[in-house]
């Protein structure tokens, strides 16, 4: 039985020589390779069941779809056997005996198909991104063209624009107020710089008087009085500088943050108004034209765009109205406090009322930093 099995197994191998051409092996080679195949199968299965299955397959006769190709020469291992059922396209096999590649037809069609499908998917994704960018650029260009056309028409008095007289007046008042407050801020900063230089000069003058009082015995009292006066003025000047700096900081926040935020919303509102008028004019032009099928489709699309920009315009107009109202309330509250602080601090300083000056700072919760404490300590930063 074993001899018949090995003889049938020998018929199921198609040997390949070193040139890649099929040929016939001697009888001993076929029998030896069949015996090695039988041994490897017995070792893998580990029972007589595997042997019986192999016998049934061999008795049923060789099948071209189940035959194998031996890639090695005489005495090659079982790892050199390639099932022909997996060979479906052109590929290259490796001949271990002669260390060179031998083309074998029928390998790698699945790999070629998967790589081609992945490349097609990547091309489709790239094409989709390009189309999306092109559409975005097209919409932006069309919107820019319409807005530019509307702006030029308004400049030359040919086009109509939507005007809210009450809101436009409030916006103009805000812009004028911002210009005036910026002037106040500029002057307050200039006052702070000049007064700081004066305080530093008084401090240096007081140190000089104190040094001269020690070196001039005949004028010790006079230099001492002046040194004490300059030190007192320097101390009061530093207190006043704290109040002025607080005033400048509050005005700067009001002008460059609160007002600027409202003006940014106003700018968005004005852009929305321009877009709304541009699409309104476009809809009016289309409505006065013919009424065929193509024109009606364009009118419907223009009506939708008009409604979208109308909603955006009304929403931003409402936002501007609310922000202007809250800005006015905040401005009055902040300026009432800061102007009272500025007046009381200046009056107390030039009146020489040190207690009143210190009381003013406590009233507005202003804390002065000691000299040399410009940078907070690591504990304060935590």
């Amino acid at each position: 039985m074993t001899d018949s099995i090995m003889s049938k197994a020998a018929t199921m191998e198609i040997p390949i020589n070193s040139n890649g051409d099929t040929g016939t092996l001697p009888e001993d080679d076929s029998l030896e390779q069949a015996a090695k195949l039988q041994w490897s199968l017995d070792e893998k299965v580990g029972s007589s069941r595997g042997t019986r299955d192999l016998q049934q397959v061999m008795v049923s006769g060789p099948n071209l779809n189940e035959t194998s190709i031996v890639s090695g020469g005489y005495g090659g291992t079982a790892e050199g056997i390639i099932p022909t059922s997996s060979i479906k396209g052109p590929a290259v096999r490796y001949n271990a005996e002669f260390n060179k590649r031998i083309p074998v037809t029928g390998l790698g069609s699945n790999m070629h198909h998967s790589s081609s499908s992945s490349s097609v998917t990547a091309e489709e994704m790239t094409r989709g991104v390009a189309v999306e960018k092109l559409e975005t650029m097209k919409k932006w260009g069309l919107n820019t063209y319409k807005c530019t056309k509307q702006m030029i028409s308004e400049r030359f008095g040919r086009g109509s624009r939507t005007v809210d007289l009450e809101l436009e007046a409030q916006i103009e008042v805000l812009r004028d107020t911002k210009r005036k407050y910026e002037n106040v801020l500029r002057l307050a900063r200039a006052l702070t710089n000049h007064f700081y230089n004066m305080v530093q000069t008084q401090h240096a003058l007081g140190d000089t008087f104190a040094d001269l009082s020690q070196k001039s015995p005949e004028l010790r009292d006079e230099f001492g009085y002046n040194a004490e006066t300059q030190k007192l003025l320097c101390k009061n000047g530093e207190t006043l500088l704290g109040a002025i700096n607080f005033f400048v900081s509050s005005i700067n926040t009001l002008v460059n943050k609160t007002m600027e935020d409202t003006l940014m919303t106003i700018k968005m509102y004005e852009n929305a108004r321009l877009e709304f008028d541009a699409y309104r004019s476009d809809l009016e032009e289309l409505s006065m034209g013919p009424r065929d099928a193509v024109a009606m489709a364009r009118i419907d699309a223009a009506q939708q765009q008009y409604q979208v920009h109308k909603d955006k315009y009304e929403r931003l107009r409402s936002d501007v109205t609310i922000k202007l109202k809250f800005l006015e309330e905040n401005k009055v509250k902040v300026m009432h406090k800061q102007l009272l602080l500025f007046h009381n601090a200046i009056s107390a300083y030039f009146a020489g009322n040190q207690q009143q000056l210190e009381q003013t700072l406590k009233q507005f919760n202003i804390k002065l930093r000691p000299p040399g404490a410009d940078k907070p300590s690591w504990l304060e930063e935590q």
Side-chain angles (χ1 to χ4, degrees):
M1 178 64 71
T2 304
D3 296 336
S4 64
I5 292 172
M6 290 190 296
S7 63
K8 291 180 179 294
T11 61
M12 295 179 65
E13 296 178 353
I14 303 174
I16 300 176
N17 55 22
S18 60
N19 295 325
D21 299 328
T22 59
T24 59
L25 290 174
E27 184 67 23
D28 295 339
D29 296 344
S30 301
L31 292 175
E32 184 178 353
Q33 292 184 5
K36 287 185 178 182
L37 174 63
Q38 176 65 27
W39 177 79
S40 62
L41 291 174
D42 290 341
E43 288 294 322
K44 185 179 295 184
V45 174
S47 64
S48 61
R49 181 180 178 182
T51 305
R52 289 195 299 268
D53 294 339
L54 180 61
Q55 291 174 359
Q56 292 176 2
V57 173
M58 290 182 177
V59 170
S60 64
N63 189 351
L64 292 178
N65 294 330
E66 297 178 355
T67 57
S68 59
I69 298 175
V70 180
S71 61
Y74 177 76
T77 61
E79 295 177 355
I81 299 175
I82 305 173
T84 57
S85 59
S86 64
I87 300 176
K88 296 181 180 180
V92 177
R93 69 176 178 85
Y94 183 80
N95 192 318
E97 181 180 359
F98 296 97
N99 294 327
K100 64 180 181 179
R101 295 179 178 271
I102 301 176
V104 179
T105 59
L107 292 176
S109 61
N110 291 334
M111 297 177 60
H112 177 72
H113 177 70
S114 60
S115 61
S116 61
S117 62
S118 61
S119 62
V120 170
T121 304
E123 290 178 359
E124 290 178 352
M125 292 178 61
T126 305
R127 188 181 299 110
V129 173
V131 170
E132 184 179 356
K133 290 183 178 180
L134 183 61
E135 289 295 330
T136 303
M137 185 65 67
K138 181 180 178 181
K139 291 180 181 179
W140 175 83
L142 182 61
N143 184 74
T144 304
Y145 166 74
K146 291 180 180 295
C147 294
T148 305
K149 180 181 177 182
Q150 176 66 23
M151 184 185 301
I152 294 175
S153 299
E154 292 178 2
R155 292 283 179 86
F156 287 96
R158 297 176 181 176
S160 60
R161 63 188 300 265
T162 304
V163 178
D164 189 334
L165 296 178
E166 182 179 359
L167 186 60
E168 293 291 337
Q170 293 178 2
I171 293 174
E172 188 60 32
V173 169
L174 172 61
R175 286 173 174 162
D176 184 65
T177 302
K178 185 174 183 293
R179 286 192 294 268
K180 293 179 179 179
Y181 275 52
E182 286 175 345
N183 188 37
V184 171
L185 180 61
R186 180 180 60 82
L187 294 174
R189 284 174 173 170
L191 175 64
T192 302
N193 292 332
H194 294 321
F195 197 77
Y196 174 79
N197 293 330
M198 187 186 74
V199 170
Q200 294 300 315
T201 303
Q202 289 175 342
H203 186 274
L205 190 59
D207 292 341
T208 303
F209 284 157
D211 182 63
L212 288 174
S213 67
Q214 299 295 329
K215 297 179 179 180
S216 301
E218 65 278 5
L219 297 174
R220 177 178 302 174
D221 294 339
E222 289 77 0
F223 279 126
Y225 296 152
N226 283 277
E228 292 296 330
T229 301
Q230 294 300 320
K231 289 181 180 180
L232 180 61
L233 290 174
C234 181
K235 181 181 179 181
N236 293 339
E238 291 176 352
T239 304
L240 179 61
L241 273 177
I244 297 176
N245 286 330
F246 186 76
F247 174 81
V248 171
S249 176
S250 299
I251 299 299
N252 179 67
T253 302
L254 178 64
V255 173
N256 294 323
K257 292 185 178 181
T258 309
M259 290 185 178
E260 188 65 27
D261 178 71
T262 305
L263 288 175
M264 287 296 295
T265 307
I266 291 174
K267 186 176 181 180
M268 295 171 59
Y269 156 76
E270 291 176 344
N271 291 336
R273 196 275 311 164
L274 183 63
E275 292 179 352
F276 166 67
D277 285 338
Y279 282 91
R280 176 182 56 80
S281 301
D282 187 38
L283 179 61
E284 291 176 354
E285 291 178 1
L286 291 175
S287 300
M288 293 186 296
R291 294 285 180 167
D292 55 357
V294 178
M296 291 302 299
R298 292 180 178 177
I299 291 174
D300 292 339
Q303 182 68 34
Q304 293 177 1
Q305 293 294 327
Y306 165 78
Q307 189 63 38
V308 169
H309 288 85
K310 180 181 179 182
D311 295 340
K312 180 181 178 181
Y313 164 73
E314 292 179 349
R315 183 180 70 254
L316 287 173
R317 181 176 61 180
S318 177
D319 293 344
V320 169
T321 303
I322 294 173
K323 283 196 172 186
L324 285 174
K325 179 181 178 181
F326 283 110
L327 175 62
E328 185 65 25
E329 295 176 357
N330 187 36
K331 183 193 71 174
V332 172
K333 185 184 299 184
V334 169
M335 291 308 299
H336 174 76
K337 177 181 178 180
Q338 296 304 317
L339 291 174
L340 184 61
L341 164 67
F342 191 81
H343 174 268
N344 292 343
I346 292 292
S347 300
Y349 173 80
F350 285 101
N353 193 340
Q354 181 181 0
Q355 295 180 352
Q356 182 65 30
L357 183 60
E358 294 177 353
Q359 185 64 30
T360 300
L361 268 65
K362 292 180 180 179
Q363 179 183 355
F364 293 95
N365 298 322
I366 301 174
K367 295 182 180 180
L368 296 178
R369 292 182 179 180
D374 295 335
K375 183 179 181 180
S377 64
W378 65 271
L379 186 60
E380 294 176 345
E381 293 178 350
Q382 299 300 321

